[in-house]
Amino acid sequence: MTVSPKPASARERLEACLAKATDPAGEGSRVFTRLYAERARAEAEAADTRVRQGLPLGPLDGRIVSVKDLFDMPGEPTTAGSKLLRDAPPATAMAPAIARLRQAGAVIIGKTNMTEFAFSGVGINPHYGTPGNPADRSRIPGGSSSGGAVSVADGMAEITIGSDTGGSTRIPAAMCGIVGLKPSQYRVPTAGAFPLSFALDSIGPMAGSVADCALADAVMAGETPQPLNPAPLPGLRFGIPQGPLLEGMEPEVARAFEAALGRLGKAGVPLADHPLPLLAEMQAVNAKGGFAASEAFFVHQAALDSRPEDFDPLVRGRIERGRAVSATDYIFMQRRRTELIRAMDADLADLDALILPTTPIRAPKIADLAASEAAFTAANMLLLRNTSVGNFFDLCAISLPLPAGLRPGELPVGLMLVARNGQDRRLLRMAAAVERLLA
C-alpha cells in the first residue's frame, strides 16, 4: 500500500520560498523590493493553526503570495518601481484587492520589482535591478510585473498579483513560462494601486496553473471561490485573428502556435480565421497619443518638471509623449473607445475566444535592450502588440505556457485566449481545458 505524502504546511512552504528569496546566488535581491519574512511567518503559523483546528478560511488559506510594488501596504511608501517615491508619505490603508487576499488567509511574502511606474512590457529597472528570466538569466523577464513572474517561476511564491495595462501580467507570464490573467477591468478594484492608466489598468494574478489564477481572481473580485471545472473542448469556437497580430512571429513562436492549434483541432475544437477590422480603428484612436501616455503625464507632470533626472530615461520618454495630447484629443479618444468596445463585443459574439500567441517574440537579451533605445522600443512594441488589444477593448484574457514538447527552443512561449468582457469565469474554464490538453 502506497501512502500519499502529507502536504507541506504553510510554514514549511513559506520557509522554502524565503530560502530561495534570500539565496545570494539567486534572483531574490532583484525580485523583491520588500520581504515581510517575520509577518509572513506569523500569518503562515496562523493558517496552520486554523487547518489543525478544522477551521480554514478557504482554499487560499496559507497560500504564499507576492504582490507588485505598486500596491499600497499601510505604514510604507508605495514606490511603484521608482526611486522618486522612496520618501513618499506612507500608505494609510492596504489596497482592497490585497486586503481581500489577506482576509482569505493568503500569506503575503513581499513586494515584487517592476518596470518603473509599470510603463513597459520589457521589465528592465535601472533603480532596483532587473530580475533574470528563469530560462536564461541574461534575458528579460517581461514586464511590467517582472519580479512577480520570476517569484513564481523560481519558487519564491505560489501566486503573485500584478497589474495589466497593456499586457503586464500576460507578457511576463509568457516570458517566464507560467499562467497570467487579465480580467475584465471591473472585476477587481484598482483602488490602492499606483495608476498608470485609469482607463486601462486591470488587476490580475500570475501562477503556475489556471486553477491558482482562478482562485486568486475570485477572492480579489469578492467572490466565493468555486471548483474550476474545465470546459468540454469539443464544440468550442476559437477564432484565429487575421492580420497584424500574427505578423512578425519568430519561427519558434510560429511553430509552437501551429503545434498547439494542431492539438486543439484533433481534440474537436473548431478553429476559424477571424478578421479583426476594428484593430485599425484602435490604431487610429491611439494615434492621438494613447491613454497610457496621457494619463501617466497627468500623474507625473510635477515630477517631470522638477526631477526629470530621477526617472528611468526610457520611461520618462514614454510619459513625455502625453504632454502633447490636447483635451480635445483625449475626449475624442474616450468617446471613440466606448463605441469601439461595444463594436468589438458584438464582433466576438459568435466566438468563445480568440486564440493567438501572447507575444510574437521570445525573451530578448537584457544587455541588447539596455544598450540601445531603438532596440528597446522595437522589442517593447512587439511585446505589447497582441496583449494591448485586450485592454483597449476591455476584454478578459489569459496567457498559458506552451510546454517544451510543443516548441523546439528552450525559451518559453505563451498561448493567449481572449474572451468578451464579463466572460471571465468561462474563459478560465476554457483555459483549464486547454492547459490540460497541452500538459
Side-chain angles (χ1 to χ4, degrees):
M1 176 179 177
T2 301
V3 178
S4 298
K6 182 180 178 181
S9 67
R11 179 61 186 269
E12 289 168 335
R13 298 188 337 271
L14 171 65
E15 292 301 335
C17 290
L18 286 171
K20 292 179 179 178
T22 56
D23 181 355
E27 293 296 301
S29 63
R30 287 175 289 275
V31 163
F32 288 101
T33 57
R34 289 179 185 267
L35 270 177
Y36 305 127
E38 293 311 311
R39 186 166 68 190
R41 287 185 172 110
E43 292 173 351
E45 291 284 2
D48 287 336
T49 298
R50 290 190 292 267
V51 169
R52 287 193 297 269
Q53 294 174 343
L55 298 170
L57 298 176
L60 194 66
D61 201 0
R63 301 302 301 276
I64 316 303
V65 178
S66 64
V67 300
K68 193 172 182 176
D69 191 34
L70 53 65
F71 290 105
D72 285 350
M73 297 290 277
E76 63 188 50
T78 303
T79 51
S82 175
K83 68 179 182 180
L84 280 156
L85 299 179
R86 287 173 180 165
D87 299 322
T92 57
M94 189 178 298
I98 308 307
R100 290 176 177 178
L101 294 169
R102 177 162 280 167
Q103 290 161 8
V107 176
I108 308 299
I109 188 173
K111 274 189 172 179
T112 56
N113 198 2
M114 56 182 283
T115 302
E116 184 179 55
F117 300 128
F119 209 174
S120 94
V122 172
I124 289 175
N125 187 305
H127 310 304
Y128 299 98
T130 299
N133 189 300
D136 179 346
R137 298 303 185 191
S138 71
R139 295 179 182 272
I140 65 163
S144 63
S145 307
S146 52
V150 178
S151 78
V152 170
D154 275 0
M156 303 177 197
E158 296 169 340
I159 301 169
T160 190
I161 309 303
S163 63
D164 191 310
T165 305
S168 287
T169 58
R170 291 161 290 154
I171 294 167
M175 297 291 102
C176 294
I178 61 174
V179 180
L181 174 68
K182 180 258 180 236
S184 301
Q185 189 183 38
Y186 74 90
R187 276 186 63 76
V188 179
T190 57
F194 196 93
L196 171 57
S197 167
F198 308 106
L200 304 176
D201 291 346
S202 296
I203 305 302
M206 295 177 282
S209 69
V210 174
D212 278 352
C213 282
L215 171 60
D217 170 70
V219 170
M220 291 191 295
E223 300 175 353
T224 301
Q226 302 293 331
L228 185 67
N229 298 314
L233 282 173
L236 289 179
R237 301 156 301 171
F238 286 175
I240 305 170
Q242 301 303 293
L245 301 186
L246 295 184
E247 295 174 355
M249 285 189 283
E250 288 184 343
E252 295 85 355
V253 175
R255 286 196 292 268
F257 181 54
E258 289 300 323
L261 294 182
R263 285 202 183 185
L264 287 165
K266 290 178 181 178
V269 179
L271 300 165
D273 293 346
H274 190 83
L276 284 176
L278 292 173
L279 293 183
E281 299 291 337
M282 180 187 87
Q283 292 165 356
V285 171
N286 286 334
K288 296 287 187 179
F291 289 100
S294 306
E295 293 172 341
F297 181 74
F298 168 80
V299 172
H300 298 291
Q301 181 177 3
L304 284 169
D305 291 340
S306 63
R307 299 174 61 186
E309 70 282 355
D310 287 336
F311 284 82
D312 174 353
L314 295 170
V315 170
R316 183 181 68 229
R318 300 190 75 204
I319 297 174
E320 281 284 4
R321 293 205 298 268
R323 193 184 290 270
V325 179
S326 68
T328 300
D329 285 341
Y330 182 76
I331 293 170
F332 165 80
M333 289 191 298
Q334 283 190 315
R335 293 176 67 87
R336 183 60 178 144
R337 177 179 179 241
T338 299
E339 297 170 349
L340 293 174
I341 286 173
R342 290 196 296 265
M344 180 62 84
D345 187 69
D347 182 74
L348 300 180
D350 293 331
L351 290 176
D352 291 296
L354 295 171
I355 185 167
L356 66 159
T358 308
T359 64
I361 61 173
R362 299 166 303 154
K365 295 266 190 183
I366 295 171
D368 292 345
L369 303 192
S372 166
E373 183 174 354
F376 176 94
T377 300
N380 189 52
M381 290 178 65
L382 281 173
L383 290 168
L384 292 164
R385 186 193 69 192
N386 293 4
T387 54
S388 62
V389 174
N391 301 85
F392 183 91
F393 291 102
D394 196 9
L395 307 169
C396 54
I398 191 166
S399 178
L400 306 173
L402 288 174
L406 288 181
R407 53 182 174 80
E410 296 181 355
L411 296 176
V413 174
L415 179 73
M416 186 163 60
L417 300 178
V418 182
R420 296 167 68 192
N421 181 285
Q423 296 294 307
D424 300 71
R425 187 67 184 178
R426 179 159 177 75
L427 173 69
L428 287 162
R429 292 186 63 219
M430 291 186 290
V434 175
E435 176 186 52
R436 184 168 63 181
L437 175 71
L438 299 180

